[in-house]
Amino acid sequence: MTDGTTIPSRLPSGSRTRFAGLIGPGLSSDRLDPLAGALGLRPATVPAGSCPADGPLAAVLTGGWGTGMQGTGAEDSDPDAPALWLPPVAAWIEPAAGTGEGTAALAPQLAPLLAEASSADLYVNLTTATAHGLQLGARLLAALAARHPLAGDRRNDIELALHEAVSNALVHGNLGVAGMKELSAVELERFSRDLRDRLGDPVLAARRVVILVRIEPAENGRPLATVEIADEGAGFVPAPRGGGSGGGGASGRGLDLIGTIAERLEIVDGGRRIRLRFGL
């Protein structure tokens, strides 16, 4: 477990994405403009087609999403707005709670996260509270498919694997909720109660999930996507591998299912980090 606002990347250093603009859904222009300037970026808006920046955009998500404050602003301030998860937006970063929205407070926190984001093609750094309310696997799949269209069955399979992997990081990792041991009303009630109670714990809800996606051309011309998902939970030791190739078994974590979809699955950092590789 870490006590900072982000998890240091275990991926090789190097810049892949040069951000040109910053969007701040819910931030007024008098706050967004100086913040973007302090980071060496241009202020932009959603929908992104109206932005002046020529290149990928980074989104800074402020405003208390996932804490009962959703829906209080304009539609384009909602992190679940479809346009926010489509090109040219390539990074989605939520500052730590209590940081404030001023340039002096936000810029020093965002600068190292943008540097980490530049090492990937897609980057997500959100609190558990926000990510849990977003159906984040579907949002990530939309961002990926917008860059590399996927056939119907393949799209559904990858979305399922991403949903399972992200849910693992949030529910079992950051919130520490044990999986259901059996299909019963009693276990379902226990699971739902634990999930609700731990989402209500501000310390657990503030834990981060960090996702990096890299897209590589394969030798046969078929693109490959590597997805790395990290949490700040206690970790776990995978059970011996199941019968499917690449899948590891762990009670309640669905790794066998993920392993049947991903071409490669690795669990590292004591179970706090999973790497998946998909053919697109």
Side-chain angles (χ1 to χ4, degrees):
M1 185 189 308
T2 64
D3 57 6
T5 58
T6 188
I7 303 172
S9 176
R10 304 294 200 276
L11 294 173
S13 61
S15 179
R16 297 172 66 93
T17 301
R18 183 179 179 85
F19 292 100
L22 184 74
I23 58 176
L27 287 181
S28 61
S29 60
D30 62 340
R31 290 195 289 257
L32 176 62
D33 292 2
L35 176 61
L39 295 168
L41 304 173
R42 296 182 181 181
T45 60
V46 176
S50 62
C51 79
D54 182 17
L57 305 180
V60 52
L61 305 181
T62 65
W65 297 298
T67 61
M69 296 174 60
Q70 303 96 317
T72 59
E75 182 179 351
D76 65 0
S77 69
D78 183 352
D80 202 23
L84 187 61
W85 294 90
L86 298 177
V89 186
W92 302 265
I93 300 171
E94 180 183 8
T99 302
E101 296 180 346
T103 302
L106 282 177
Q109 182 186 159
L110 292 176
L113 302 187
L114 284 170
E116 182 177 56
S118 71
S119 71
D121 295 302
L122 298 172
Y123 177 81
V124 178
N125 189 319
L126 302 175
T127 64
T128 296
T130 293
H132 183 265
L134 278 182
Q135 293 294 316
L136 186 54
R139 303 284 77 78
L140 192 61
L141 188 279
L144 182 60
R147 290 159 173 84
H148 292 274
L150 301 168
D153 289 345
R154 188 59 179 157
R155 179 186 178 110
N156 293 339
D157 285 347
I158 293 177
E159 182 174 355
L160 176 59
L162 291 176
H163 172 76
E164 286 289 327
V166 171
S167 293
N168 284 345
L170 297 175
V171 176
H172 303 309
N174 284 346
L175 296 177
V177 177
M180 293 178 60
K181 303 303 181 184
E182 61 183 13
L183 294 177
S184 68
V186 172
E187 268 294 274
L188 177 59
E189 181 180 1
R190 189 275 309 165
F191 179 86
S192 301
R193 181 180 63 250
D194 287 352
L195 181 60
R196 180 181 64 250
D197 291 348
R198 296 184 187 191
L199 276 171
D201 183 325
V203 174
L204 298 181
R207 285 179 172 176
R208 316 294 293 194
V209 60
V210 180
I211 304 174
L212 297 97
V213 180
R214 281 188 165 135
I215 303 170
E216 308 279 2
E219 291 183 0
N220 61 4
R222 181 184 178 213
L224 295 171
T226 299
V227 182
E228 182 167 320
I229 302 170
D231 64 61
E232 295 183 311
F236 73 101
V237 178
R241 288 185 180 273
S245 64
S251 177
R253 297 213 172 192
L255 294 181
D256 283 321
L257 173 61
I258 297 171
T260 63
I261 298 171
E263 297 185 4
R264 186 175 182 182
L265 182 158
E266 296 177 83
I267 300 169
V268 296
D269 196 15
R272 299 175 187 86
R273 187 178 302 265
I274 185 172
R275 294 190 187 108
L276 306 174
R277 194 175 192 184
F278 302 101
L280 302 180

